[in-house]
Amino acid sequence: MRERPSRATPHTVDAVLATATGNELAILLVRNSSERERWSVPWRTPQAGETLAAAAATVAKDALGEPPAWMEQIGAFGDGKRHPSEAEVSVAYLGLVPHDTASPRTGYAWFQVTELPPLAPRQRAMVEGATKAIEGSLDQAPIAFRLLPATFTLSELQHMYELLLGKRLHKASFRRALQAAWLVEPMDEWRSEGRGRPAQLFQYLPKKKRRPHRGVRFDFLYP
Amino acid sequence: MRERPSRATPHTVDAVLATATGNELAILLVRNSSERERWSVPWRTPQAGETLAAAAATVAKDALGEPPAWMEQIGAFGDGKRHPSEAEVSVAYLGLVPHDTASPRTGYAWFQVTELPPLAPRQRAMVEGATKAIEGSLDQAPIAFRLLPATFTLSELQHMYELLLGKRLHKASFRRALQAAWLVEPMDEWRSEGRGRPAQLFQYLPKKKRRPHRGVRFDFLYP
DNA sequence: GCGAATTAGTCACTTTCTGTGACTAAAGTC
DNA sequence: GACTTTAGTCACAGAAAGTGACTAATTCGC
C-alpha cells in the first residue's frame, strides 16, 4: 500500500477496521499525503502469491500493530467507483478490535461512523458494507465479543448489543437468552465501578454445537 | 481506473447459476475444450468500465439467454487456488433461476450439486460458497421465490423450503409463518394436479416494511 | 452511622410464537 | 358410494419472549 505502482494494479485489499467507542462504532482511517481525500481506508496491493486474507491481515497489522480479533471478507468492490489506487477491483475485509487494545500507529485515527471525513466513493461503499455486515452477522458470529475485552460484565455485553443493534434491550430477556445459548462463562471476579453493586466478570465461551432454529423465518423485504 | 492494463487479466467474474430440480439443487456448468477440467463455472473478464454486476449478468445471459431472477455477489476468491484463467482474483456471483424457464445454451449443462464433475479448485470453493449463501440468506432474501415460477401452490413453496433447508416442515406451522410475513398473495386460480383437492395458486408479494426480530439471537458457533 | 441513590441480578406473570395431531374439503379411483 | 389422495384449517400444549417488580450490594450525602 505504501508504494504506488506506476501503472494499473490488478486489485487491492482494503481493511475496514472497526471498534466500539463509548456509544458508537468507529472506523480506522489513514491520513493521505497526496490523495484527493485527506483520509482513506487502509489498503494494500497484495504481493504475488499472497492470499487475500493474508494481505488484509498485513494491512491491519500495519495499522494497529497486531492482528484484529476478528476478520472476514465482505466482498469485492469496483463498479466504476473511484479508489485511491488505480485498481479496478478492491476486496474489502472487515476487522474488529476491542477498544482498549486498539492503539493506532501514527498517521491512523479512529472516526465515529457518523462523522467520517470524505472518502473515495469505493471506500465509502466498503464502510457501508461493513456496517451492514456487522449488523447482519451479529447473531451468526461472536461479533460483540470481538469488540469487548477478554473479560467483561453482562451489562457491558448488553450495552454492546444495544449499540450494534441500535435499540434498547430488556435486561431480563437479554440474560435469559444469553443463558440459553451457553456463550459465556462466569469468572470468580467482580468489578466495582463507582457506585452500585459490583458486577461479576464473564468471558466468552465458544459454543460447541449449533441448535437449529425452530420454525421458518420469512424476514426479508427485498423486491 | 478506467484504463485497462495490457497484460494478464486482472480479475474475472464468475457466475454460479443455480436452480432447483425435483429434489436437489443444480449448478450450471460450461464444457471446456482445452482446460484441465472438462467443465467449469461460467466466467468472464470484464471489459473496461464494465461493472462487476454487469459482467456477471452478461455471463448469465450468455449461458441461459436471459438474466437470472436473482443475482448477488458472494465474494472474491483467490488465495492461490487455481482458476481456468490467469487472474489472481475472481469475483463470484450467485444467480438463481426457476427450473422451468432455465434452458441452457449449447455447451452448458445442469449438474446436481452432489454430483459435480471435477472443477478448478477456486471454482469449487465458489460453488461451496454459493450453497452456503443460499442457505444463509434463505430467511433474509426471497431466494425460494426466485427458484419457483411466478405462480405456485403453497405445497410447492413448502417443498422448495424443505429442499433448501434440508429438513421437513410442518404444514400448519409453515403456513402460519407465511401468513404472518405477508409475503404471498392468493390468486383467483386453482390447479388440479391429478388426484386430490385442487390447490390455490399464489404469487410473491414483496414486503413493504420489515418487522424487527423480537429478542436477541445468539445462534452462532464460531470459535 | 444511616438513608437515598445507583447498579447488579433474579423472579413471576403475561403475551406471543411454535410444534403437533386431528380435523374438514375437494378432487380422483375403483 | 367407499376409499385414497392432496389441500387447507383448527385448537391445544408447550416453549420462548416482553415486562415490571422485586432483592442485593455497593457509594454518596449528611
Side-chain angles (χ1 to χ4, degrees):
Chain A
M1 166 183 166
R2 298 302 173 199
E3 74 285 273
R4 197 62 192 294
S6 52
R7 69 179 170 69
T9 58
H11 60 276
T12 68
V13 171
D14 299 40
V16 180
L17 299 167
T19 196
T21 66
N23 44 16
E24 205 172 355
L25 268 189
I27 305 292
L28 192 69
L29 300 179
V30 59
R31 176 152 223 139
N32 292 320
S33 44
S34 57
E35 298 297 332
R36 182 157 144 193
E37 283 84 13
R38 297 173 67 82
W39 296 92
S40 64
V41 173
W43 58 276
R44 164 191 176 84
T45 302
Q47 304 299 310
E50 189 181 29
T51 67
L52 297 170
T58 300
V59 173
K61 235 161 149 179
D62 287 350
L64 291 167
E66 51 180 299
W70 175 265
M71 195 136 224
E72 75 180 315
Q73 193 197 114
I74 58 176
F77 293 75
D79 297 350
K81 294 201 176 74
R82 187 163 46 81
H83 187 268
S85 74
E86 301 286 322
E88 290 217 18
V89 168
S90 302
V91 181
Y93 277 76
L94 166 66
L96 302 179
V97 285
H99 188 240
D100 58 343
T101 66
S103 31
R105 296 247 170 106
T106 56
Y108 295 85
W110 293 109
F111 287 84
Q112 307 274 81
V113 277
T114 53
E115 303 169 1
L116 288 180
L119 292 173
R122 194 188 295 172
Q123 293 200 324
R124 169 151 295 275
M126 288 174 186
V127 173
E128 277 161 25
T131 56
K132 283 217 180 70
I134 288 175
E135 200 170 329
S137 50
L138 189 54
D139 54 359
Q140 315 291 331
I143 301 264
F145 300 99
R146 300 279 108 110
L147 290 167
L148 286 172
T151 68
F152 44 82
T153 69
L154 295 189
S155 295
E156 286 170 343
L157 182 60
Q158 180 177 342
H159 288 142
M160 182 62 71
Y161 269 92
E162 290 178 332
L163 189 167
L164 297 174
L165 291 170
K167 67 178 181 189
R168 307 234 21 187
L169 302 171
H170 192 272
K171 188 169 47 163
S173 300
F174 181 82
R175 293 177 183 217
R176 193 202 294 128
L178 191 60
Q179 280 229 306
W182 286 97
L183 275 176
V184 112
E185 203 175 35
M187 308 181 64
D188 230 15
E189 286 178 66
W190 279 258
R191 186 207 291 159
S192 192
E193 200 76 76
R195 46 182 137 259
R197 169 175 168 177
Q200 188 166 18
L201 292 177
F202 288 77
Q203 61 187 351
Y204 175 49
L205 176 76
K207 284 181 74 169
K208 295 290 177 277
K209 53 173 185 249
R210 172 192 289 271
R211 162 193 46 114
H213 267 144
R214 304 201 318 162
V216 200
R217 296 259 151 63
F218 302 101
D219 282 347
F220 44 89
L221 92 155
Y222 285 83
Chain B
M1 172 187 163
R2 300 294 177 200
E3 71 281 277
R4 183 72 189 301
S6 54
R7 59 154 184 89
T9 59
H11 60 276
T12 68
V13 171
D14 299 40
V16 180
L17 298 166
T19 196
T21 66
N23 45 16
E24 204 171 354
L25 267 190
I27 304 293
L28 192 68
L29 300 180
V30 60
R31 175 150 225 142
N32 292 320
S33 44
S34 57
E35 297 298 332
R36 181 155 144 193
E37 282 85 11
R38 297 172 67 82
W39 296 92
S40 64
V41 173
W43 59 276
R44 163 190 177 84
T45 301
Q47 303 299 309
E50 189 181 30
T51 67
L52 297 170
T58 301
V59 174
K61 234 160 153 180
D62 287 349
L64 291 166
E66 53 179 297
W70 175 264
M71 195 137 224
E72 75 179 316
Q73 192 197 115
I74 56 175
F77 293 74
D79 297 348
K81 293 202 177 71
R82 187 163 47 79
H83 186 269
S85 74
E86 300 285 323
E88 290 217 21
V89 168
S90 302
V91 181
Y93 277 77
L94 165 66
L96 302 179
V97 284
H99 188 238
D100 58 344
T101 65
S103 32
R105 296 248 169 104
T106 56
Y108 294 85
W110 293 110
F111 288 84
Q112 307 273 83
V113 277
T114 53
E115 303 171 3
L116 289 179
L119 293 172
R122 194 188 296 173
Q123 294 201 323
R124 167 150 298 272
M126 287 175 187
V127 173
E128 278 161 25
T131 55
K132 284 218 179 71
I134 288 175
E135 200 171 329
S137 49
L138 188 55
D139 54 358
Q140 315 290 333
I143 301 264
F145 299 99
R146 301 278 109 107
L147 290 167
L148 286 171
T151 68
F152 45 82
T153 69
L154 296 189
S155 295
E156 286 170 341
L157 182 60
Q158 181 178 342
H159 287 142
M160 182 62 72
Y161 269 92
E162 290 178 333
L163 189 166
L164 297 174
L165 291 170
K167 67 177 181 189
R168 306 232 23 184
L169 302 171
H170 189 95
K171 187 168 48 162
S173 300
F174 181 82
R175 293 179 183 214
R176 192 203 292 129
L178 191 60
Q179 280 230 304
W182 287 97
L183 275 176
V184 113
E185 201 175 36
M187 310 182 63
D188 231 12
E189 285 179 69
W190 279 258
R191 186 206 291 158
S192 192
E193 200 77 74
R195 43 183 141 257
R197 168 173 169 180
Q200 188 165 17
L201 292 177
F202 289 76
Q203 61 187 352
Y204 175 49
L205 175 76
K207 285 179 75 170
K208 296 290 178 278
K209 54 170 186 253
R210 172 191 287 270
R211 163 192 47 112
H213 268 145
R214 302 201 318 161
V216 200
R217 296 260 151 61
F218 302 100
D219 283 347
F220 43 88
L221 89 156
Y222 285 83

